[in-house]
Amino acid sequence: MTIIRVSLLANDTLRQGGVELIDAWRADSDDKLWVDIREPEQQVIEPLLEERFGFHELAAEDTLSPNTLPKYDSFPTYDFFIFRTVDVNVSEHVSETEKIAAFVGRNFLFTVHRKPSMAADDIWNRCPADRRILARGPDFLLYSIVDQMVDAYFPMLEQIEECVDDLQDRIFESAEDMHLDELLHLKRDVNVLRRHSLPQRELLNQISRGDAKFIQAQHLIYFRDVYDHMFRISETIDVDRDQMTSTMEAYLSVVANRTNDIMKVLTIFSAIMLPLTLVAGIYGMNFEYMPELKWTWGYPLAVATMVVIDAYLYVRFKKSRWL
Amino acid sequence: MTIIRVSLLANDTLRQGGVELIDAWRADSDDKLWVDIREPEQQVIEPLLEERFGFHELAAEDTLSPNTLPKYDSFPTYDFFIFRTVDVNVSEHVSETEKIAAFVGRNFLFTVHRKPSMAADDIWNRCPADRRILARGPDFLLYSIVDQMVDAYFPMLEQIEECVDDLQDRIFESAEDMHLDELLHLKRDVNVLRRHSLPQRELLNQISRGDAKFIQAQHLIYFRDVYDHMFRISETIDVDRDQMTSTMEAYLSVVANRTNDIMKVLTIFSAIMLPLTLVAGIYGMNFEYMPELKWTWGYPLAVATMVVIDAYLYVRFKKSRWL
Amino acid sequence: MTIIRVSLLANDTLRQGGVELIDAWRADSDDKLWVDIREPEQQVIEPLLEERFGFHELAAEDTLSPNTLPKYDSFPTYDFFIFRTVDVNVSEHVSETEKIAAFVGRNFLFTVHRKPSMAADDIWNRCPADRRILARGPDFLLYSIVDQMVDAYFPMLEQIEECVDDLQDRIFESAEDMHLDELLHLKRDVNVLRRHSLPQRELLNQISRGDAKFIQAQHLIYFRDVYDHMFRISETIDVDRDQMTSTMEAYLSVVANRTNDIMKVLTIFSAIMLPLTLVAGIYGMNFEYMPELKWTWGYPLAVATMVVIDAYLYVRFKKSRWL
Amino acid sequence: MTIIRVSLLANDTLRQGGVELIDAWRADSDDKLWVDIREPEQQVIEPLLEERFGFHELAAEDTLSPNTLPKYDSFPTYDFFIFRTVDVNVSEHVSETEKIAAFVGRNFLFTVHRKPSMAADDIWNRCPADRRILARGPDFLLYSIVDQMVDAYFPMLEQIEECVDDLQDRIFESAEDMHLDELLHLKRDVNVLRRHSLPQRELLNQISRGDAKFIQAQHLIYFRDVYDHMFRISETIDVDRDQMTSTMEAYLSVVANRTNDIMKVLTIFSAIMLPLTLVAGIYGMNFEYMPELKWTWGYPLAVATMVVIDAYLYVRFKKSRWL
Amino acid sequence: MTIIRVSLLANDTLRQGGVELIDAWRADSDDKLWVDIREPEQQVIEPLLEERFGFHELAAEDTLSPNTLPKYDSFPTYDFFIFRTVDVNVSEHVSETEKIAAFVGRNFLFTVHRKPSMAADDIWNRCPADRRILARGPDFLLYSIVDQMVDAYFPMLEQIEECVDDLQDRIFESAEDMHLDELLHLKRDVNVLRRHSLPQRELLNQISRGDAKFIQAQHLIYFRDVYDHMFRISETIDVDRDQMTSTMEAYLSVVANRTNDIMKVLTIFSAIMLPLTLVAGIYGMNFEYMPELKWTWGYPLAVATMVVIDAYLYVRFKKSRWL
């Protein structure tokens, strides 16, 4: 069910409440309005956003669709943004991304997200204590939310980095299919993440260059700061991808190397056993006239021959560094 | 055989019919004309498009050729576009792309396609119910068709994704040549798709920037929306390609790992059997003077020796984690 | 030996002949002149092009050198172009590229090529029948030649594609070194082709944007069409390259898989034979006191033991899917 | 604990000391001030930089964060830069990067770094001897520091190059997992380095183009020179990365080749021993009627047969180049 | 020791000599001066270039440093260039690059190089015969030298191409570690070459666009020609790199294929010998009651069994294409 909560800063007084607070706000005033919508449903979105506030139907639709990439659309009386957030899931190596849509006008901000957003909650809670957040304008409010969202990437990237390092260590210890499977899934996660983070970076670059009408010039530097963070994030993602590719290549080499070692053991065993078995076989033949069989020292001599053969092979293998 | 159907919106009345309806339309009126041509043949295209409507010979030729890439050409009285559609073929992992050519003027739209187009059919059927589609102008009509065409990519991409996931799972279960063959074919399909989708994305970007004369400014946002979809599509294609490359690399590792395991079994078997065979061979020798052969406990001792040797080897293999 | 042939369209009359026709043409008239030079030699090029027509020494030199890449140079009274053609050699999987140099002025076209050019010959032969080719100006004449040249790429690309498909099929059938060798050579051919086609594409893009002074505006659309073809060609080349790289990677996997299968056979053979050989060896020992040897059922029991061991191993291998 | 040291050039007199010297400087004079801050702490940074000098809060924060990438922010009365330095650690193949933040105004320079900076120390010590460094302005002072910082990359790159060469040699000598492990770590180091050096190069490019307000035009050539160095550094890093990738691929081939050699030994051993063992086995059979066993020359003949078989195999292997 | 030689064209008279000729030249005349400096030393460079001719200290320093990449710096009275030359070393597959620094003014050219330069020597020797080289201005003189330098790349590239082809052939003949080692070194050489040639290409592009003040407009076409050559060179380098990467991948496949073949031989040998050995072993058992041993036809029957088993295996292997 759609949940709407509203913050209204009027006459230096902050009021927080439900959808009814919107009526207390007038579009031509300097009162600041923040409407935060969770789990948007079409039957709520359409009357509120499209009809009452006159937001474009395509923008309103975008707040409902789950997969939209980060973007910016300019409209005469508001700017429309989509940002992507990250929901970290420590135990299952899974990173889910979610989006947050924002309508920024001269004196209002609408944020729409399908799942609970830690960033929005946090700013909501800080509003009463620090009313400057709203007072500096809806663009600064948006910055505060986006800044928190972007910073949520860092712990997740650290987790991915740890995962890769961990996988790498385990691969060098014991080369098993299972690790490969995990690596492949991790790689897909990182690729999906990359796919979201590059347009987000580009979007933040665009904002910080001053392309958005309703972001005030004196706040551009803040978005530039978020852009720098986002840039670092996408750089880290690229390093991680490279490292995963290298790990996969290394895995192949490690496995090949193990096979090599196993082959060595097999070859040494065969080389040491087969000649002795042949000697034993020869003196197991049943010919009537085999003089060696009659000798008193025949048996010890045969065994001695075996020892000499293996000693010779041992020296040969030692020389060629097989042992 | 070329099939021509015509929609004409004149004096707020919609008429749908065959080629004869074109005569009821006048170029200098505000009546909206949509001519949809299927299976175009040169002897029809030339008199209709080139002579009667004065479309450029190269554009008219392009409507006949099957392989043209997405593009935009500007002419004084009309814009010429080529878009690519996708025909999904679930059962055979095959994706065929087709093209749709469009001439957009102030008050007319020509769409030409070689195969039946679901998007064109659908819009055709929706026209009588919702005449706004035609009333908003030929550019909005074009948007409606292109939007449907682009959205047809998504189910196909999902299928490809499923295929890749499926192949990946099967490879980890049993590494067979057959899967590789499939992967290679899938990769080619995706590469061809990519080759079509990148110029299409670029084309939609161009349109949404307002480069096309006969796309009205207030409809640019709609094409921008289609561009966003196309962007997401090409991003997904890139992730899929990456994943396929990784899968192929993983495949190699899996096979190498299997070889490794088989080698282990062989080596362990050889290592366990060969020394025992040697012991048996030694006491199978026919020397006259072999004191052990006379001993009452000779046989049990020989067997015991064998057991001790294998026990020793077992411990060694256990220690080096081979077992 | 240098072969020069001249087409002259004067007063609506077309004359075709040798070098002597040049004298009938005056630079300040509207007569159209086309001079086609084959197998250029320095002693001919210099007096004709540099001294008589005043073409720049570097441009004249470029008509002689075999390896020049596609390019465009602007001079006050003429444009200088180099295009690359392709000579297909079906039987040997070899594609040779050649170049054609062109000087385009207000009312003259010089084409210079080292080998016979099918495109130039064809246009030459069509001139008498359709004098519009010359009448529309030297730039349209150039377009006609370049269009034919570029279209000659397509059959060759199809051949390459067939080759790759063929190699791919053969690799999955039997993995031999020979195929790899062929693939490597094909790859080099494609890389060389790519190296020529990218600058040619760029050159055609430049022309179709209207950068060349002596290409009339109303003919730009024709060069744009050739550019679109060239774009498709270079896209196809890239898909082919990708496919070849994938094929090479697949080859490695196929070989690894075969090794795997061979190993399995060896291991199964060894595992089945070695224990039986051991049993036979044990009862081949010559100990005096081996009670089994005296038993009436000893021999059948020994054979039965062998059968049981192999039955057990058979079940084990069956379970682990080796058989 | 934060360490602050100040150089002040007033009336052609250089004074070096602690934070108290700042009071002797007036913002509207032509006196040159250089404040160098080490191990910045928030409680020191905020009053000094934000309150007293009015630097932007985001810039001040950036001086505290360890991971910021190189960047440039323009403010009305100063330029803010972040550069990355490199701390070489010879013995452990580890390269740590650090950052240095700089505020450059008309007549002051603030440099902030978390660790001791050799470049800052060196310039600090050279100031008393050569007061031109300060006299030429804070931008030239900054250049002097950055130039030293960038030059510190070169010895480190040489070390990495040596490491790679060394690893390469060791891999061709003996293919061990350990080397791979090292290579993987080295690769990550180089990737991280690359991630820092590309933005730094871009930053220096931006400065040398004259984007920064407080870098005087006649000093741009100096930053251009540093840019050229940085360009060379990032080129070298790319060559190193390529070489590491090639090395990893080569490693795989080397290991495969070793396996090949081992397999040859095993195969030759088996091929030479197994037939002889069979001959010995045949004449070890206990049939009553085996005429060869009675022959006087039976035994020598059997041995001769063995020799002949091996001689034949030897010739065969020799011919097929296995020996 | 620094070697300075001077060419002076004054009053249509060419004089060639040592450093003393510089005094005969006046900066405000139209006399053309060419100073060619070899093995520059700081104590010579500084007084001559910095003090006497007022060249910038950074440019003068750059003439001394060995590793500078190609670049262009503009100064009020002269242009400063660095180009890279190539010293081919046929026998050792090594390509060394050197640089040549040039100061170009209205009526003077300084060229500085650390090693003897074939290009400079050649032009020096041609000057007396063809004084047009100097008469056309210092920029044309520079072109003449650079043109020769760039053309020196071609024979070296041909050598590299031959090396790669040669390595490729040898790899398909016999797969040895040694070849890989060579390939790896060759790859590094090519990577280093590429690192130099890309900036050089960019530099020549910049010059031919007319960015350099002291290159006269009518000579741009000549630099454009050199740029085209350089473009072809860098394209060839890229094709070579691709080919080397493919070769390395192919090498791995070839080795894997060999292992495959060896495994086949081993498996066939084992499969043919082991069953026979088992049969021989069975009839070598010492059971008292083995009826076959008493049969007159026992021995021939046993041998016949062996032949039948091998015939059966032979047919099986034949069918599965192993033989």
Side-chain angles (χ1 to χ4, degrees), chain C residues 57 67 71 73 177 184 187-188 195 241 251 255 259 262-263 283-286 293-294 299, chain E residues 161 168 222 224 228 232 236 242-243 246 257-258 260 263 267 278 285-286 288-290 292:
Chain C
E57 53 171 328
N67 286 318
K71 72 168 180 181
D73 278 331
D177 280 18
L184 227 63
K187 212 170 175 184
R188 166 160 285 228
R195 181 180 148 211
R241 281 179 82 219
Y251 179 87
V255 171
T259 302
I262 293 172
M263 291 303 306
Y283 291 108
M285 291 194 296
N286 296 321
L293 297 180
K294 307 278 161 26
Y299 176 45
Chain E
E161 210 155 35
Q168 214 164 284
Y222 292 93
R224 170 70 200 272
D228 284 340
R232 229 164 78 212
T236 308
D242 263 35
Q243 206 61 14
S246 302
N257 225 355
R258 302 265 149 105
N260 205 312
M263 290 302 306
T267 303
L278 176 62
M285 292 194 296
N286 295 322
E288 285 192 357
Y289 308 100
M290 288 181 72
E292 298 96 320

Side-chain angles (χ1 to χ4, degrees), chain E residues 223-281:
Chain E
F223 283 95
R224 170 70 200 272
D225 195 62
V226 186
Y227 165 68
D228 284 340
H229 289 191
M230 204 63 220
F231 189 91
R232 229 164 78 212
I233 286 163
S234 65
E235 288 289 298
T236 308
I237 288 172
D238 280 354
V239 170
D240 283 345
R241 281 179 82 220
D242 263 35
Q243 206 61 14
M244 275 190 271
T245 303
S246 302
T247 304
M248 206 172 254
E249 282 168 13
Y251 179 87
L252 193 56
S253 297
V254 168
V255 170
N257 225 355
R258 302 265 149 105
T259 303
N260 205 312
D261 285 346
I262 293 171
M263 290 302 306
K264 262 191 202 166
V265 172
L266 175 60
T267 303
I268 289 167
F269 250 102
S270 302
I272 281 178
M273 290 299 154
L274 286 182
L276 308 198
T277 306
L278 176 62
V279 170

